[in-house]
Amino acid sequence: MATWNMFSFQDAVSPIMEQLILFHDHTMMVLTMITIMVLYMISSLMLNKFSNRFLLEGQMIELIWTLLPAVLLIVIALPSLKILYLLEEINKPLLTLKAIGHQWYWSYEYSDLKKIEFDSYMKQTDSIQNNEYRLIEVDNKIVLPWSTQTRMLVTSYDVIHSWTIPALGMKIDASPGRINQGSILVMRPGIYYGQCSEICGANHSFMPITLESVNMKSFNNWIHKIS
């Protein structure tokens, strides 16, 4: 989860988030090289009084500074398109989880498991435990088995919400009258937090998301307990 003074991404717990972090580093490297080159050229022009008489109407230099940005855009665009296709890739999901946004809480349905449904509200400050976090703990967590492909369906009951867990690289808009789809593959057990990322009203910041990733045996025990 995010903590104070964290300037980088959260640790990736899904293949998609790993790809997003790698793409961010790749793009930042290209942008850093461009920035350094431009600053060097500007400083060179400002610190000397010489002029290149062959640079005034050089067709070759114009061709270079036209083709070079195009090549750099291709270098950035190709990995970006790869990630966009990976975000939509779902390969034989074992589970289907549906999230429905409300003002201001989430409700969940495990459609494949005897229609298990529950609402998830933010815990009040006076009811949280010593090992829990204020404003992001919920009374009913999502429980999913790790290393298992899960189809995520997201919709809304009233206004536009956004179901987001940064550590998973998941951000799916919840639009009323429409079902958006995503894929979850958690690579390790743990508890991961998120929040609604679409300004949806007065209590927008008080509808957190908590997902607990467990092994398959613990997940089966949870299913029998809740049903």
Side-chain angles (χ1 to χ4, degrees):
M1 62 172 289
T3 57
W4 295 108
N5 296 326
M6 178 180 285
F7 295 102
S8 184
F9 294 100
Q10 299 182 29
D11 293 336
V13 294
S14 70
I16 291 297
M17 190 58 188
E18 288 183 348
Q19 292 294 323
L20 290 172
I21 292 176
L22 290 174
F23 174 69
H24 171 268
D25 296 341
H26 169 76
T27 306
M28 287 302 297
M29 181 185 67
V30 175
L31 294 179
T32 302
M33 293 171 55
I34 294 173
T35 303
I36 292 174
M37 183 180 67
V38 171
L39 290 177
Y40 171 76
M41 295 177 66
I42 292 175
S43 61
S44 298
L45 292 172
M46 294 180 64
L47 295 177
N48 71 77
K49 298 180 180 179
F50 298 102
S51 62
N52 189 339
R53 61 192 179 94
F54 298 106
L55 196 64
L56 297 178
E57 296 212 4
Q59 298 296 323
M60 182 57 67
I61 191 66
E62 291 186 8
L63 180 64
I64 292 174
W65 70 43
T66 301
L67 291 179
L68 187 60
V71 172
L72 291 175
L73 287 176
I74 294 174
V75 169
I76 295 175
L78 290 179
S80 176
L81 291 174
K82 174 186 174 183
I83 295 176
L84 285 175
Y85 280 103
L86 288 175
L87 287 171
E88 301 295 329
E89 183 70 22
I90 300 179
N91 184 22
K92 298 179 181 179
L94 184 65
L95 292 172
T96 298
L97 174 64
K98 184 178 181 181
I100 304 173
H102 303 264
Q103 289 183 311
W104 287 271
Y105 65 96
W106 294 95
S107 60
Y108 299 99
E109 299 178 3
Y110 288 78
S111 304
D112 302 328
L113 303 173
K114 300 180 182 178
K115 202 66 175 178
I116 295 176
E117 303 177 2
F118 57 87
D119 296 330
S120 182
Y121 290 87
M122 184 190 76
K123 277 191 175 182
Q124 300 299 318
T125 304
D126 55 0
S127 62
I128 61 176
Q129 305 297 322
N130 291 331
N131 60 342
E132 295 179 335
Y133 299 97
R134 177 176 171 268
L135 298 181
I136 57 174
E137 292 288 349
V138 296
D139 53 358
N140 293 311
K141 301 176 183 177
I142 310 167
V143 179
L144 290 176
W146 64 281
S147 191
T148 300
Q149 190 82 33
T150 303
R151 178 193 289 117
M152 189 72 203
L153 303 177
V154 181
T155 186
S156 173
Y157 182 78
D158 35 49
V159 298
I160 299 177
H161 302 276
S162 186
W163 195 88
T164 306
I165 298 182
L168 298 178
M170 294 289 297
K171 187 177 186 296
I172 307 176
D173 289 338
S175 304
R178 176 175 179 175
I179 297 177
N180 291 324
Q181 180 176 270
S183 176
I184 297 178
L185 180 60
V186 187
M187 296 187 298
R188 64 180 68 94
I191 299 177
Y192 308 105
Y193 299 95
Q195 289 180 308
C196 175
S197 297
E198 187 75 32
I199 298 178
C200 56
N203 292 329
H204 152 70
S205 57
F206 301 108
M207 49 182 302
I209 303 163
T210 304
L211 185 149
E212 182 176 4
S213 176
V214 298
N215 57 35
M216 186 60 73
K217 181 179 179 181
S218 299
F219 177 73
N220 290 330
N221 293 336
W222 177 80
I223 289 297
H224 291 306
K225 178 182 177 181
I226 198 173
S227 58

